[in-house]
mmCIF file of all heavy atoms in Angstrom:
data_model
loop_
_atom_site.group_PDB
_atom_site.id
_atom_site.type_symbol
_atom_site.label_atom_id
_atom_site.label_comp_id
_atom_site.label_asym_id
_atom_site.label_seq_id
_atom_site.Cartn_x
_atom_site.Cartn_y
_atom_site.Cartn_z
ATOM 1 N N GLY E 147 -18.061 11.167 4.302
ATOM 2 C CA GLY E 147 -16.907 12.241 4.392
ATOM 3 C C GLY E 147 -16.841 12.837 5.732
ATOM 4 O O GLY E 147 -16.080 13.794 5.932
ATOM 5 N N LYS E 148 -17.462 12.190 6.818
ATOM 6 C CA LYS E 148 -17.378 12.893 8.071
ATOM 7 C C LYS E 148 -16.216 12.377 8.930
ATOM 8 O O LYS E 148 -15.881 11.145 8.829
ATOM 9 C CB LYS E 148 -18.791 12.611 8.832
ATOM 10 C CG LYS E 148 -19.871 13.394 8.374
ATOM 11 C CD LYS E 148 -20.978 13.335 9.368
ATOM 12 C CE LYS E 148 -22.124 14.395 8.948
ATOM 13 N NZ LYS E 148 -22.667 14.231 7.683
ATOM 14 N N LEU E 149 -15.792 13.165 9.834
ATOM 15 C CA LEU E 149 -14.618 12.837 10.692
ATOM 16 C C LEU E 149 -15.147 12.044 11.820
ATOM 17 O O LEU E 149 -16.214 12.360 12.480
ATOM 18 C CB LEU E 149 -13.951 14.075 11.358
ATOM 19 C CG LEU E 149 -12.773 13.799 12.253
ATOM 20 C CD1 LEU E 149 -11.647 13.077 11.629
ATOM 21 C CD2 LEU E 149 -12.234 15.107 12.841
ATOM 22 N N LEU E 150 -14.633 10.854 12.030
ATOM 23 C CA LEU E 150 -15.097 9.938 13.075
ATOM 24 C C LEU E 150 -14.181 9.972 14.421
ATOM 25 O O LEU E 150 -14.686 9.986 15.464
ATOM 26 C CB LEU E 150 -15.174 8.479 12.645
ATOM 27 C CG LEU E 150 -16.160 8.151 11.591
ATOM 28 C CD1 LEU E 150 -15.939 6.691 11.179
ATOM 29 C CD2 LEU E 150 -17.660 8.425 11.957
ATOM 30 N N LEU E 151 -12.901 10.001 14.165
ATOM 31 C CA LEU E 151 -11.931 9.845 15.286
ATOM 32 C C LEU E 151 -10.769 10.672 14.911
ATOM 33 O O LEU E 151 -10.271 10.814 13.884
ATOM 34 C CB LEU E 151 -11.561 8.393 15.512
ATOM 35 C CG LEU E 151 -12.437 7.379 16.123
ATOM 36 C CD1 LEU E 151 -11.801 6.085 15.995
ATOM 37 C CD2 LEU E 151 -12.674 7.789 17.572
ATOM 38 N N ASN E 152 -10.018 11.096 15.998
ATOM 39 C CA ASN E 152 -8.739 11.791 15.886
ATOM 40 C C ASN E 152 -7.808 11.075 16.879
ATOM 41 O O ASN E 152 -7.971 11.220 18.133
ATOM 42 C CB ASN E 152 -9.038 13.317 16.365
ATOM 43 C CG ASN E 152 -7.844 14.150 15.826
ATOM 44 O OD1 ASN E 152 -6.847 13.644 15.401
ATOM 45 N ND2 ASN E 152 -8.081 15.461 15.975
ATOM 46 N N LEU E 153 -6.869 10.353 16.334
ATOM 47 C CA LEU E 153 -5.954 9.577 17.161
ATOM 48 C C LEU E 153 -4.666 10.353 17.394
ATOM 49 O O LEU E 153 -3.953 10.720 16.390
ATOM 50 C CB LEU E 153 -5.606 8.214 16.451
ATOM 51 C CG LEU E 153 -6.890 7.443 15.966
ATOM 52 C CD1 LEU E 153 -6.442 6.129 15.359
ATOM 53 C CD2 LEU E 153 -7.908 7.097 17.078
ATOM 54 N N MET E 154 -4.335 10.607 18.638
ATOM 55 C CA MET E 154 -3.241 11.435 19.093
ATOM 56 C C MET E 154 -2.347 10.722 19.901
ATOM 57 O O MET E 154 -2.632 10.304 20.930
ATOM 58 C CB MET E 154 -3.609 12.705 19.648
ATOM 59 C CG MET E 154 -4.377 13.603 18.845
ATOM 60 S SD MET E 154 -5.024 15.132 19.578
ATOM 61 C CE MET E 154 -6.407 14.434 20.526
ATOM 62 N N ASP E 155 -1.144 10.310 19.347
ATOM 63 C CA ASP E 155 -0.165 9.743 20.249
ATOM 64 C C ASP E 155 1.295 9.877 19.547
ATOM 65 O O ASP E 155 2.293 10.068 20.355
ATOM 66 C CB ASP E 155 -0.406 8.319 20.575
ATOM 67 C CG ASP E 155 -0.130 7.907 22.005
ATOM 68 O OD1 ASP E 155 -0.636 8.619 22.920
ATOM 69 O OD2 ASP E 155 0.709 6.941 22.242
ATOM 70 N N HIS E 156 1.384 9.739 18.317
ATOM 71 C CA HIS E 156 2.726 9.936 17.600
ATOM 72 C C HIS E 156 3.169 11.294 17.803
ATOM 73 O O HIS E 156 2.301 12.299 17.969
ATOM 74 C CB HIS E 156 2.533 9.679 16.144
ATOM 75 C CG HIS E 156 2.534 8.192 15.784
ATOM 76 N ND1 HIS E 156 3.659 7.323 16.099
ATOM 77 C CD2 HIS E 156 1.584 7.345 15.253
ATOM 78 C CE1 HIS E 156 3.265 6.019 15.747
ATOM 79 N NE2 HIS E 156 2.133 6.165 15.215
ATOM 80 N N THR E 157 4.456 11.546 17.930
ATOM 81 C CA THR E 157 5.005 12.796 18.119
ATOM 82 C C THR E 157 5.670 13.477 16.837
ATOM 83 O O THR E 157 6.225 14.539 16.851
ATOM 84 C CB THR E 157 6.168 12.861 19.304
ATOM 85 O OG1 THR E 157 7.132 11.791 18.859
ATOM 86 C CG2 THR E 157 5.506 12.375 20.602
ATOM 87 N N GLU E 158 5.579 12.685 15.800
ATOM 88 C CA GLU E 158 6.225 13.003 14.579
ATOM 89 C C GLU E 158 5.302 12.477 13.342
ATOM 90 O O GLU E 158 4.364 11.877 13.533
ATOM 91 C CB GLU E 158 7.566 12.340 14.426
ATOM 92 C CG GLU E 158 8.677 13.330 14.974
ATOM 93 C CD GLU E 158 9.297 14.202 13.882
ATOM 94 O OE1 GLU E 158 8.664 14.384 12.888
ATOM 95 O OE2 GLU E 158 10.269 14.990 14.253
ATOM 96 N N VAL E 159 5.744 12.903 12.140
ATOM 97 C CA VAL E 159 4.997 12.547 10.899
ATOM 98 C C VAL E 159 4.524 11.197 10.924
ATOM 99 O O VAL E 159 5.339 10.185 11.230
ATOM 100 C CB VAL E 159 5.912 12.889 9.681
ATOM 101 C CG1 VAL E 159 5.293 12.182 8.418
ATOM 102 C CG2 VAL E 159 6.209 14.209 9.482
ATOM 103 N N VAL E 160 3.319 10.852 10.653
ATOM 104 C CA VAL E 160 2.817 9.490 10.400
ATOM 105 C C VAL E 160 2.972 9.103 8.949
ATOM 106 O O VAL E 160 2.231 9.568 7.982
ATOM 107 C CB VAL E 160 1.383 9.340 10.807
ATOM 108 C CG1 VAL E 160 0.838 7.914 10.555
ATOM 109 C CG2 VAL E 160 1.119 9.712 12.182
ATOM 110 N N ARG E 161 4.033 8.297 8.762
ATOM 111 C CA ARG E 161 4.488 8.144 7.339
ATOM 112 C C ARG E 161 3.742 6.980 6.572
ATOM 113 O O ARG E 161 3.756 6.931 5.320
ATOM 114 C CB ARG E 161 6.018 7.683 7.358
ATOM 115 C CG ARG E 161 6.749 7.845 6.068
ATOM 116 C CD ARG E 161 6.730 9.259 5.628
ATOM 117 N NE ARG E 161 7.411 9.206 4.303
ATOM 118 C CZ ARG E 161 6.696 9.050 3.153
ATOM 119 N NH1 ARG E 161 5.385 8.674 3.130
ATOM 120 N NH2 ARG E 161 7.114 9.075 1.999
ATOM 121 N N ASP E 162 3.178 6.014 7.400
ATOM 122 C CA ASP E 162 2.420 4.946 6.644
ATOM 123 C C ASP E 162 1.356 4.481 7.577
ATOM 124 O O ASP E 162 1.405 4.558 8.846
ATOM 125 C CB ASP E 162 3.359 3.877 6.293
ATOM 126 C CG ASP E 162 2.754 2.982 5.157
ATOM 127 O OD1 ASP E 162 1.859 3.448 4.472
ATOM 128 O OD2 ASP E 162 3.244 1.879 4.921
ATOM 129 N N LEU E 163 0.323 3.887 6.993
ATOM 130 C CA LEU E 163 -0.792 3.232 7.734
ATOM 131 C C LEU E 163 -1.263 2.013 7.047
ATOM 132 O O LEU E 163 -1.176 1.840 5.799
ATOM 133 C CB LEU E 163 -2.109 4.207 7.707
ATOM 134 C CG LEU E 163 -1.854 5.525 8.457
ATOM 135 C CD1 LEU E 163 -3.055 6.471 8.058
ATOM 136 C CD2 LEU E 163 -2.009 5.261 10.019
ATOM 137 N N THR E 164 -1.563 0.982 7.774
ATOM 138 C CA THR E 164 -2.113 -0.217 7.218
ATOM 139 C C THR E 164 -3.150 -0.897 8.172
ATOM 140 O O THR E 164 -3.022 -0.801 9.345
ATOM 141 C CB THR E 164 -1.021 -1.132 6.854
ATOM 142 O OG1 THR E 164 -1.591 -2.381 6.288
ATOM 143 C CG2 THR E 164 -0.336 -1.692 8.150
ATOM 144 N N PHE E 165 -4.264 -1.308 7.513
ATOM 145 C CA PHE E 165 -5.309 -1.970 8.305
ATOM 146 C C PHE E 165 -5.127 -3.489 8.154
ATOM 147 O O PHE E 165 -4.695 -4.035 7.094
ATOM 148 C CB PHE E 165 -6.696 -1.722 7.772
ATOM 149 C CG PHE E 165 -7.311 -0.442 8.203
ATOM 150 C CD1 PHE E 165 -7.255 0.773 7.450
ATOM 151 C CD2 PHE E 165 -7.937 -0.426 9.425
ATOM 152 C CE1 PHE E 165 -7.728 1.959 7.996
ATOM 153 C CE2 PHE E 165 -8.653 0.864 9.943
ATOM 154 C CZ PHE E 165 -8.397 1.888 9.184
ATOM 155 N N ALA E 166 -5.398 -4.243 9.193
ATOM 156 C CA ALA E 166 -5.425 -5.767 9.204
ATOM 157 C C ALA E 166 -6.419 -6.110 8.109
ATOM 158 O O ALA E 166 -7.647 -5.673 8.149
ATOM 159 C CB ALA E 166 -5.772 -6.411 10.503
ATOM 160 N N PRO E 167 -6.145 -7.147 7.252
ATOM 161 C CA PRO E 167 -7.084 -7.471 6.245
ATOM 162 C C PRO E 167 -8.195 -8.321 6.742
ATOM 163 O O PRO E 167 -9.043 -8.723 5.891
ATOM 164 C CB PRO E 167 -6.232 -8.312 5.256
ATOM 165 C CG PRO E 167 -4.843 -8.225 5.710
ATOM 166 C CD PRO E 167 -4.860 -7.653 7.085
ATOM 167 N N ASP E 168 -8.269 -8.665 7.993
ATOM 168 C CA ASP E 168 -9.174 -9.624 8.551
ATOM 169 C C ASP E 168 -10.516 -8.997 8.926
ATOM 170 O O ASP E 168 -11.361 -9.646 9.443
ATOM 171 C CB ASP E 168 -8.588 -10.479 9.701
ATOM 172 C CG ASP E 168 -8.280 -9.590 10.864
ATOM 173 O OD1 ASP E 168 -8.581 -8.331 10.852
ATOM 174 O OD2 ASP E 168 -7.490 -10.079 11.821
ATOM 175 N N GLY E 169 -10.723 -7.752 8.672
ATOM 176 C CA GLY E 169 -12.009 -7.050 9.035
ATOM 177 C C GLY E 169 -12.078 -6.670 10.489
ATOM 178 O O GLY E 169 -13.092 -6.219 10.964
ATOM 179 N N SER E 170 -10.897 -6.757 11.278
ATOM 180 C CA SER E 170 -10.997 -6.557 12.658
ATOM 181 C C SER E 170 -10.860 -4.973 12.899
ATOM 182 O O SER E 170 -11.076 -4.571 14.106
ATOM 183 C CB SER E 170 -9.789 -7.184 13.431
ATOM 184 O OG SER E 170 -8.585 -6.761 12.781
#
Side-chain angles (χ1 to χ4, degrees):
K148 288 198 167 58
L149 179 64
L150 296 176
L151 285 172
N152 197 349
L153 310 179
M154 293 177 282
D155 217 56
H156 282 298
T157 55
E158 270 273 8
V159 170
V160 179
R161 195 64 190 83
D162 200 17
L163 293 164
T164 183
F165 277 95
D168 60 9
S170 60

